[in-house]
Amino acid sequence: MSVQKQRYTSKKTGKTTVRYFANVWYAVESRSITGPMRDKEKEARKDEVDIMRSIEAGQGKRKQKERMTTIQEIFDIWHDATAPPTYANSTWRIYERFYNDYIKEVFGDKAVSKVKATHIQKYVNLMKQSHSPGTINKCINILSNLFGYAVSPLKCITPMENPMEGITRCTVPVRKKITWSDDEIAYFLNLQEVMESHYYPMFCLSALLGARPGEVCGLTENCLSNKPTYLIDFDRGYDNWECETNLKTHQSHRQPPIPKHLYDLLHKRLIWKKKNRLEDKSWSDNDYLFVSQNGNPIKPKQYAYAFKRLLAAHNKAMEEYETEHGSLPNGEMKLPYITLYGFRTSFATNNMRRCPNAALISSIMGNSPKTLIQFYTQSDTEMQKELINNYVNMERTIS
């Protein structure tokens, strides 16, 4: 706190004039607050007192606001502000679940201004003892959003007081994705119990086009076209909270060609739905292509569970037969355990092996070539061996 002098010498007259101004350091925002230039020092002193009173009054209001603003209150405001379509419905719901499961009990009743970086780091360290890196990172994301929102637009804390600064996310170990070969996919789709499943047309779509489960569940009755060629229109999704969703990216909106036998299979399902609706007008009052036996839309987790159940039942039957007879039946096999999403990874990997055209394959899958290469395709030992052998043979030819 001080009153500063500023001297000004006129080039024209050579006369030096002294003027005064108040200069008060505002530690909370790490900046100086200055008053206007005054001809008299006592006027600047009065400005200094006024600035100090203003700061004290502002800090008092701010402290009162801090005492009232808890992490729970910040979350309620932030969660309401980020409701769909700001966030995708699934992301928004998952953030709510993670906050309630992992954050609320620890920080919910704490004043936002009282939470320090040491508290966050201790929380992260304790989480590491019993939770996966993915779960911890999700919680860090939520906390970063909450404290960022407390800084702006709520202005409950300053950027300097944000406790998330310097908090690092956990390294998520890279796990080799398990995929099915073309033969394994064909084997699964030709199993009698799979072909008789209500989900069989959906399995075919996931396997033959690498479509996301939510995209398959969200297909409409008008998604099929046979002029001038057989096409299917991916234009929306359906999530586990029974909400119609927009697709993940603009590339996800696509209309790839499909083989006639797949078109016929899907069209047969459409006929089945329309026939049931004619018999009972209250049945399946929606425009989804795929519905359950009772006419309701199929949720992705319901679809995924059906796949998991069929795969587990088949492998169990094979293991029991092998235990009893010492070997598997002729032509039968046990399949690697994959998730339903494994169809998508398998589609990308198998097609990149046959035709390494990332732009073409990604246009069918509904993502960018960069995403395809980074997240879906993976080299296997045979692919690496083939590349190295081809390179060695080329070197020998040149020499």
Side-chain angles (χ1 to χ4, degrees):
M1 299 181 295
S2 64
V3 171
Q4 304 291 326
K5 295 180 181 179
Q6 182 171 323
R7 290 179 171 83
Y8 170 71
T9 302
S10 172
K11 293 181 180 180
K12 187 175 182 179
T13 65
K15 183 179 178 180
T16 299
T17 302
V18 179
R19 305 195 73 189
Y20 305 89
F21 64 95
N23 183 38
V24 179
W25 176 250
Y26 185 23
V28 171
E29 296 185 2
S30 300
R31 64 184 180 91
S32 294
I33 299 177
T34 58
M37 288 292 181
R38 303 292 191 183
D39 293 328
K40 297 180 179 179
E41 184 177 358
K42 66 178 183 180
E43 294 176 339
R45 292 289 181 192
K46 184 176 182 301
D47 291 337
E48 180 185 24
V49 173
D50 290 342
I51 292 172
M52 291 172 58
R53 287 175 177 171
S54 177
I55 289 174
E56 289 173 358
Q59 287 179 333
K61 291 180 180 178
R62 181 170 171 269
K63 287 179 179 178
Q64 182 181 13
K65 184 178 181 181
E66 286 172 354
R67 285 195 296 271
M68 295 172 59
T69 309
T70 64
I71 300 297
Q72 180 64 52
E73 291 169 333
I74 297 291
F75 174 80
D76 291 338
I77 298 170
W78 170 79
H79 194 242
D80 183 62
T82 56
T86 303
Y87 280 166
N89 184 62
S90 58
T91 301
W92 188 68
R93 299 272 189 172
I94 288 171
Y95 276 173
E96 180 181 35
R97 178 167 65 82
F98 269 70
Y99 173 81
N100 288 327
D101 289 350
Y102 302 109
I103 298 174
K104 182 177 180 178
E105 186 175 347
V106 180
F107 293 111
D109 60 350
K110 302 293 188 296
V112 67
S113 62
K114 300 301 181 183
V115 180
K116 307 302 179 185
T118 52
H119 301 142
I120 301 294
Q121 191 60 63
K122 183 178 180 180
Y123 167 76
V124 171
N125 293 342
L126 289 172
M127 288 282 286
K128 288 179 180 179
Q129 298 177 14
S130 55
H131 294 85
S132 69
T135 296
I136 298 169
N137 288 346
K138 187 81 72 177
C139 293
I140 291 175
N141 288 345
I142 296 169
L143 288 168
S144 294
N145 286 328
L146 293 182
F147 284 103
Y149 206 75
V151 172
S152 178
L154 297 184
K155 301 188 185 304
C156 296
I157 55 175
T158 67
M160 297 282 291
E161 295 171 305
N162 189 341
M164 297 307 296
E165 294 296 326
I167 301 298
T168 57
R169 289 167 173 75
C170 301
T171 300
V172 179
V174 178
R175 295 178 180 176
K176 180 177 173 60
K177 296 182 178 71
I178 301 174
T179 60
W180 281 356
S181 66
D182 293 333
D183 290 340
E184 288 169 329
I185 292 173
Y187 174 81
F188 175 80
L189 293 178
N190 282 284
L191 290 173
Q192 188 65 33
E193 60 269 29
V194 174
M195 296 179 70
E196 293 174 353
S197 167
H198 184 71
Y199 299 90
Y200 179 66
M202 302 174 73
F203 294 145
C204 291
L205 260 178
S206 294
L208 301 181
L209 294 182
R212 301 176 180 93
E215 294 174 341
V216 175
C217 294
L219 286 169
T220 72
E221 295 175 347
N222 298 319
C223 69
L224 297 174
S225 173
N226 60 358
K227 295 179 181 180
T229 187
Y230 298 107
L231 302 170
I232 186 166
D233 186 14
F234 290 101
D235 194 42
R236 73 175 185 192
Y238 188 70
D239 67 18
N240 289 320
W241 291 270
E242 302 180 2
C243 289
E244 178 184 317
T245 66
N246 194 15
L247 297 185
K248 194 169 186 179
T249 65
H250 71 277
Q251 289 124 333
S252 299
H253 295 264
R254 61 202 188 277
Q255 198 176 47
I258 58 175
K260 184 178 184 303
H261 69 84
L262 181 56
Y263 173 89
D264 292 340
L265 184 64
L266 300 178
H267 191 260
K268 183 179 179 181
R269 176 53 59 90
L270 179 60
I271 298 301
W272 170 82
K273 183 181 179 185
K274 289 184 176 180
K275 181 180 177 181
N276 279 285
R277 188 181 290 158
L278 285 174
E279 295 175 355
D280 181 0
K281 291 184 179 180
S282 64
W283 184 88
S284 190
D285 186 20
N286 59 67
D287 67 344
Y288 289 92
L289 173 62
F290 296 117
V291 295
S292 61
Q293 297 285 1
N294 60 15
N296 293 327
I298 296 172
K299 293 181 287 189
K301 65 181 180 182
Q302 181 181 350
Y303 174 33
Y305 179 72
F307 171 76
K308 180 180 179 180
R309 186 178 65 247
L310 283 167
L311 176 58
H314 170 75
N315 280 347
K316 182 180 180 181
M318 291 298 99
E319 289 167 1
E320 290 175 350
Y321 187 96
E322 187 177 29
T323 300
E324 183 177 350
H325 298 89
S327 63
L328 294 175
N330 187 33
E332 301 292 334
M333 68 172 79
K334 287 185 288 187
L335 290 166
Y337 281 97
I338 64 171
T339 64
L340 179 61
Y341 213 87
F343 273 140
R344 185 167 173 82
T345 310
S346 299
F347 177 88
T349 301
N350 295 338
N351 281 288
M352 281 293 285
R353 184 183 295 130
R354 277 189 297 268
C355 174
N357 186 331
L360 177 62
I361 297 170
S362 63
S363 68
I364 298 172
M365 295 180 64
N367 47 243
S368 67
K370 179 180 178 181
T371 301
L372 171 74
I373 294 170
Q374 184 175 0
F375 294 106
Y376 291 109
T377 62
Q378 54 184 3
S379 60
D380 57 23
T381 303
E382 288 302 316
M383 294 169 68
Q384 293 170 342
K385 180 180 177 181
E386 181 180 355
L387 185 147
I388 293 171
N389 287 341
N390 288 341
Y391 185 76
V392 170
N393 292 335
M394 182 184 69
E395 289 288 303
R396 288 174 179 171
T397 302
I398 294 173
S399 61

